[in-house]
Amino acid sequence: MTAFFTTVRNVSVVLAVAASLSAVTSTAGYAFSEEARSQCTGDAFRLCSSEIPNIPKITACMVKNRGNLSSGCRAVMDRDFAAQKSSKVAAQ
């Protein structure tokens, strides 16, 4: 019975993070690619689970913990941030 509750809890956490990270792409200020979500989900669980489901806090936590991110997540986030900055500069 304990294994069942552990599985349910783990699935719930995964769904919460997935929902949180999917909301990131729909929020203009925190728009990240599908690749970023797939590369960074594990890092979000590992480093920022206490911030779920607050999207801005998850993002800030991931940025703060940049040095602890997996190489794939760090590369994708760097690329997405650069794209966001260049699009904001172009809009001005």
Side-chain angles (χ1 to χ4, degrees), residues 1 7 20 26-27 37 42-44 54 56 59 61 63 68 91:
M1 194 70 152
T7 301
S20 297
S26 65
T27 306
R37 280 193 305 236
D43 292 327
N54 188 320
T59 303
C61 175
V63 170
N68 297 321

Side-chain angles (χ1 to χ4, degrees), residues 50-62:
S50 64
E51 305 302 341
I52 297 168
N54 188 320
I55 304 303
K57 285 188 176 185
I58 293 170
T59 303
C61 175
M62 297 291 277

